[in-house]
């Protein structure tokens, strides 16, 4: 999906027929003192204008050809181009409209007040014609002349994308969003989705995260959470532990969807030695009917998790004692993860704090898991503090940022 669809050239050419009528009707130029029109031009202009006004296009074509032949001054060239524009508009001829707009610009007779409008229209026409470098040139000039509307930035963005200037295009989308918000209106969700999609395809991971987060902030639906987290998950190769954290957030935001999600989540938990989490995820998939009752893959992974869960759970008390006496926090982290999988959040929280105190562990991983446990335990403010402690530049910085965004939304209450 593009940011802009085909944009018709629609302009209120305020100086057109009224000024011309006055100039043609009067012998003296007092009614239109700024128009420099020769006697020959006035003689040819009257019949041309009447033909255009009557929508007599065959006659108008002949009359305008005669008018063009005597158009010399900037005013004459400009007014003739306006009449051509009116005919092209009536006939819905986009190519002729664009040609007329360019003629108005080139005439030297366009009023200063119309230059922004004409330049914007010419840029639109160049974009529609596929001349993207010219579109960028003209739209940039329209912007310089004072057009700060979202439309000019959206067209600049798409023209930039077409010419493989992705970072520049994304910057223009941001300007469009800012311009839209300045009017008191929210930017459409499609703008965010387009920017995220382009960034993803260009493998600009930082921009991908930025735009998916921006979309979630503006439109925090389960569908958008799923889209954002799947794009993030697939945007780079990450180890299983980090992807498991992504799945945990998908579960919290209710954005797991279908058999594949539940199978991949359960299988990943199993691979990480967390049968309790694998079992609970698989059972949730069946309970919510997200996974068909006859799913062979999820049934098998649940059976595998069930076979390991009993002995695993029975071993946790001993693991907890080992963690308390260990020289570092590795055992506390592993045992905390196991308790997290069984839904025993209070025990998991205590063990994660022990792991941080003892050290020798990835503090970002511990704080991420601590934040999850605190969230599940209903301690939202404490969860925010844990996620805030995760380094923004580390492997879990992005997922912690997504969690913080979620915790600021009403659905996280």
């Amino acid at each position: 999906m593009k940011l802009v669809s085909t944009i018709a050239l629609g302009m209120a050419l305020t100086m057109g027929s009224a000024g011309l009528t006055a100039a043609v009707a009067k012998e003296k130029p007092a009614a239109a003192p700024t128009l420099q029109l020769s006697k020959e031009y006035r003689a040819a202009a009257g019949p041309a204008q009447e033909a255009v006004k009557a929508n007599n296009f065959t006659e108008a074509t002949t009359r305008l050809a005669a008018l063009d032949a005597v158009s010399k001054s900037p005013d004459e060239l400009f007014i003739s181009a306006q009449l051509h524009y009116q005919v092209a508009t009536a006939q819905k001829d986009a190519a002729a409209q664009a040609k007329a707009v360019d003629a108005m610009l080139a005439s030297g007779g366009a009023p200063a007040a119309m230059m922004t409008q004409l330049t914007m229209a010419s840029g639109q026409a160049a974009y529609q014609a596929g001349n993207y470098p010219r579109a960028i040139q003209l739209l940039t000039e329209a912007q310089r002349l004072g057009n700060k509307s979202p439309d000019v930035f959206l067209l600049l963005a798409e023209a930039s994308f077409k010419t493989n200037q992705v970072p520049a295009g994304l910057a223009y989308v941001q300007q469009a969003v800012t311009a839209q918000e300045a009017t008191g209106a929210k930017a459409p969700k499609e703008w965010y989705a387009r920017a995220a999609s382009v960034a993803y395809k260009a493998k600009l991971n930082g921009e991908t995260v930025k735009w998916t987060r921006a979309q979630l902030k503006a439109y925090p639906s389960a569908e958008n959470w799923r889209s954002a987290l799947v794009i993030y998950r697939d945007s780079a190769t990450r180890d299983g532990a980090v992807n498991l954290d992504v799945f945990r957030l998908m579960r919290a935001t209710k954005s797991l969807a279908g058999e594949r999600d539940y199978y991949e989540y359960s299988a990943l938990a199993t691979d990480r030695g967390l049968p309790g989490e694998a079992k609970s995820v698989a059972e949730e998939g069946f309970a919510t009917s997200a996974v068909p009752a006859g799913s062979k893959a999820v049934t098998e992974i649940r059976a595998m998790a069930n076979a390991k869960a009993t002995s695993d759970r029975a071993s946790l008390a001993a693991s907890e004692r080992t963690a308390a006496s260990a020289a570092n926090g590795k055992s506390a982290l592993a045992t905390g993860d196991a308790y997290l999988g069984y839904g025993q959040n209070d025990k998991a929280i205590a063990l994660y704090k022990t792991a941080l105190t003892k050290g020798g562990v990835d503090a970002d991983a511990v704080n991420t898991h601590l934040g999850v446990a605190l969230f599940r335990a209903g301690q939202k403010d404490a969860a925010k503090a844990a996620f805030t402690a995760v380094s923004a530049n580390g492997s879990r910085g992005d997922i912690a940022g997504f969690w913080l965004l979620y915790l600021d939304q009403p659905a996280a209450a």
Side-chain angles (χ1 to χ4, degrees):
M1 178 181 292
K2 295 180 182 178
L3 291 165
V4 290
S5 56
T6 301
I7 301 174
L9 296 179
M11 300 185 300
L13 298 178
T14 55
M15 189 188 157
S17 21
L20 176 59
T21 300
V24 171
K26 302 286 185 179
E27 282 294 326
K28 296 180 180 180
T34 61
L35 298 180
Q36 301 298 314
L37 308 177
S38 68
K39 183 180 295 186
E40 293 80 8
Y41 185 86
R42 289 195 185 94
Q49 186 184 27
E50 290 302 318
V52 171
K53 185 177 179 181
N55 286 333
N56 186 343
F57 300 129
T58 300
E59 178 74 8
T61 299
T62 300
R63 295 295 185 181
L64 285 173
L67 187 63
D68 289 340
V70 295
S71 298
K72 296 178 181 178
S73 74
D75 288 336
E76 292 168 351
L77 292 167
F78 177 70
I79 294 172
S80 296
Q82 282 187 298
L83 291 171
H84 279 288
Y85 180 84
Q86 291 172 31
V87 171
T89 300
Q91 294 184 313
K92 298 181 180 180
D93 186 337
Q97 278 183 301
K99 183 178 179 181
V101 169
D102 285 344
M104 282 186 265
L105 278 173
S107 70
M114 289 184 67
M115 288 300 295
T116 302
Q117 187 182 20
L118 289 168
T119 306
M120 175 69 178
S122 186
Q124 290 174 334
Y127 175 82
Q128 290 168 22
N131 190 343
Y132 303 118
R134 176 167 170 76
I136 291 172
Q137 177 187 0
L138 287 163
L139 294 166
T140 300
E141 177 64 8
Q143 181 189 0
R144 187 191 70 79
L145 290 170
N147 189 328
K148 306 298 182 184
S149 71
D151 284 347
V152 71
F153 296 121
L154 295 176
L155 280 165
L156 278 165
E158 285 296 349
S160 297
F161 295 154
K162 295 289 188 181
T163 52
N164 295 317
Q165 301 177 65
V166 174
L170 294 172
Y172 285 129
V173 180
Q174 182 60 65
Q175 287 179 279
V177 170
T178 301
Q180 181 80 351
E181 291 175 344
T183 68
K186 186 161 63 172
K189 62 183 178 182
E190 291 80 10
W191 297 5
Y192 299 103
R194 173 64 169 156
S197 175
V198 171
Y200 173 73
K201 290 177 182 177
K203 298 182 179 180
L204 299 174
N205 295 337
E207 288 288 331
T208 301
V209 170
K210 169 190 169 180
W211 284 103
T212 52
R213 283 190 197 167
Q215 182 180 21
L216 289 170
K217 186 174 181 179
Y219 298 95
S221 66
E223 178 184 358
N224 286 340
W225 269 106
R226 172 173 171 72
S227 175
L229 292 175
V230 168
I231 288 173
Y232 170 70
R233 186 188 67 194
D234 295 345
S235 64
T237 301
R238 298 180 177 86
D239 67 37
V242 176
N243 281 336
L244 189 56
D245 288 335
V246 176
F247 274 117
R248 286 169 177 152
L249 181 53
M250 291 177 74
R251 190 180 187 185
T253 57
K254 297 179 174 56
S255 57
L256 292 170
E259 179 180 9
R260 181 175 177 179
D261 278 357
Y262 283 92
Y263 173 78
E264 289 185 357
Y265 186 173
S266 298
L268 192 54
T270 298
D271 291 342
R272 304 296 302 177
L274 300 169
E277 188 164 7
K279 177 177 180 289
S280 67
V281 169
E283 288 176 345
E284 180 182 294
F286 284 119
T288 60
S289 299
V291 178
S295 170
K296 181 178 179 181
V298 181
T299 296
E300 288 178 351
I301 204 75
R302 179 177 62 177
M304 187 184 305
N306 271 327
K308 296 179 179 179
T310 301
S311 59
D312 177 68
R313 193 162 192 168
S315 70
L316 291 182
S319 296
E320 197 173 351
R321 290 192 294 272
T322 300
S325 60
N328 58 50
K330 293 180 180 179
S331 181
L333 171 58
T335 308
D337 287 344
Y339 275 125
L340 183 69
Y342 290 111
Q344 292 184 255
N345 297 310
D346 289 343
K347 283 186 171 292
I349 290 167
L351 283 158
Y352 291 141
K353 289 180 178 179
T354 297
L356 290 171
T357 300
K358 288 180 175 289
V361 291
D362 182 345
D364 285 345
V366 179
N367 276 311
T368 300
H369 297 182
L370 175 59
V372 174
L374 289 164
F375 164 74
R376 292 180 181 177
Q379 301 179 48
K380 186 174 176 179
D381 289 342
K384 283 186 179 182
F387 288 122
T388 301
V390 177
S391 171
N393 298 320
S395 62
R396 284 177 171 80
D398 289 333
I399 196 62
F402 277 116
W403 268 104
L404 287 167
L405 178 61
Y406 177 59
L407 290 173
D408 282 334
Q409 295 174 349

